[in-house]
Amino acid sequence: SVSDAGVGRGRRDVLLGICLGTFCPNARADNASAPDAPRRPASCATGTSCVSTSAFLTPANYLPPWEYLGDDTAAFKSLEKLLVEKAQPGSVYADETTGFIRADLKYPDGVDTYEFHFKNDGSRIVLFSARSQTNKVSPPGCFQKGCINGPRNRARAEALRDEIGWLGFETDEDKKWVPLLLH
């Protein structure tokens, strides 16, 4: 079963396997017809207006994959529906067979192109990237309550994730945020 797929593996190992295309919960050695590796979004270069689940080398541009409840088909359709409502007319491309959705969302300071890659293997994980069509420098810091430092796409992608009701697939169960007091 899917819940048994990660037995003996930590969430970090499962996440790395998903992102690198080496985790397949139902894989068997005799399954010769399995695809080479699932598609995944491209990484982001440092200093670009971009966030991606593949941006391991640029932490400011990294966001964890999204985790959803239910089956792959229902999740795909709900994300597609949300993007059709929010995206520029005619910009949504969805291919349920490959688990790929692309859409352009307009914001006051430009257009962001989103690409989503559903694993379609029962893991309930979607990989994504969000790239601004016009690169703008990230603010040097946060000066308002609730500000998120880094590319502006970070807050936009998280808002989209929250709107659909999904969760970020956190990889570190023992992470504890400690406030830093600078005197």
Side-chain angles (χ1 to χ4, degrees), residues 25 43 54 58 70 94 120 135 145 149:
S43 187
S54 298
T58 55
N120 287 338
N135 192 33
K145 187 175 181 175
N149 199 13

Side-chain angles (χ1 to χ4, degrees), residues 95-178:
D95 183 354
E96 192 172 348
T97 307
T98 61
F100 178 75
I101 303 177
R102 182 189 178 281
D104 295 332
L105 276 66
K106 184 159 180 56
Y107 295 97
D109 60 349
V111 176
D112 289 358
T113 299
Y114 287 82
E115 291 185 355
F116 297 93
H117 301 267
F118 282 76
K119 299 291 291 177
N120 287 338
D121 63 358
S123 63
R124 297 182 307 228
I125 298 293
V126 62
L127 308 175
F128 67 91
S129 68
R131 300 173 189 281
S132 292
Q133 292 180 0
T134 304
N135 192 33
K136 294 194 176 184
V137 178
S138 300
C142 291
F143 303 106
Q144 60 195 27
K145 187 175 181 175
C147 173
I148 299 173
N149 199 13
R152 60 186 191 258
N153 312 72
R154 174 181 297 280
R156 293 174 182 173
E158 288 177 343
L160 190 65
R161 180 200 65 210
D162 292 345
E163 187 172 341
I164 199 166
W166 294 352
L167 301 170
F169 187 75
E170 279 296 328
T171 59
D172 193 353
E173 297 94 358
D174 299 325
K175 183 186 327 180
K176 292 183 181 173
W177 293 98
V178 179

Side-chain angles (χ1 to χ4, degrees), residues 14-149:
V14 171
L15 175 62
L16 278 173
I18 288 169
C19 292
L20 297 174
T22 59
F23 176 73
C24 187
N26 298 323
R28 291 179 300 212
D30 63 339
N31 190 357
S33 64
D36 292 342
R39 293 179 44 189
R40 64 178 185 262
S43 187
C44 301
T46 303
T48 58
S49 297
C50 168
V51 290
S52 173
T53 55
S54 298
F56 295 114
L57 300 178
T58 55
N61 299 92
Y62 174 78
L63 274 178
W66 295 352
E67 185 176 22
Y68 52 86
L69 299 175
D71 69 346
D72 296 330
T73 303
F76 185 92
K77 289 191 182 302
S78 66
L79 180 59
E80 180 182 14
K81 180 182 178 209
L82 177 67
L83 291 173
V84 166
E85 292 170 4
K86 298 182 79 62
Q88 291 185 311
S91 72
V92 177
Y93 170 78
D95 183 354
E96 192 172 348
T97 307
T98 61
F100 178 75
I101 303 177
R102 182 189 178 281
D104 295 332
L105 276 66
K106 184 159 180 56
Y107 295 97
D109 60 349
V111 176
D112 289 358
T113 299
Y114 287 82
E115 291 185 355
F116 297 93
H117 301 267
F118 282 76
K119 299 291 291 177
N120 287 338
D121 63 358
S123 63
R124 297 182 307 228
I125 298 293
V126 62
L127 308 175
F128 67 91
S129 68
R131 300 173 189 281
S132 292
Q133 292 180 0
T134 304
N135 192 33
K136 294 194 176 184
V137 178
S138 300
C142 291
F143 303 106
Q144 60 195 27
K145 187 175 181 175
C147 173
I148 299 173
N149 199 13

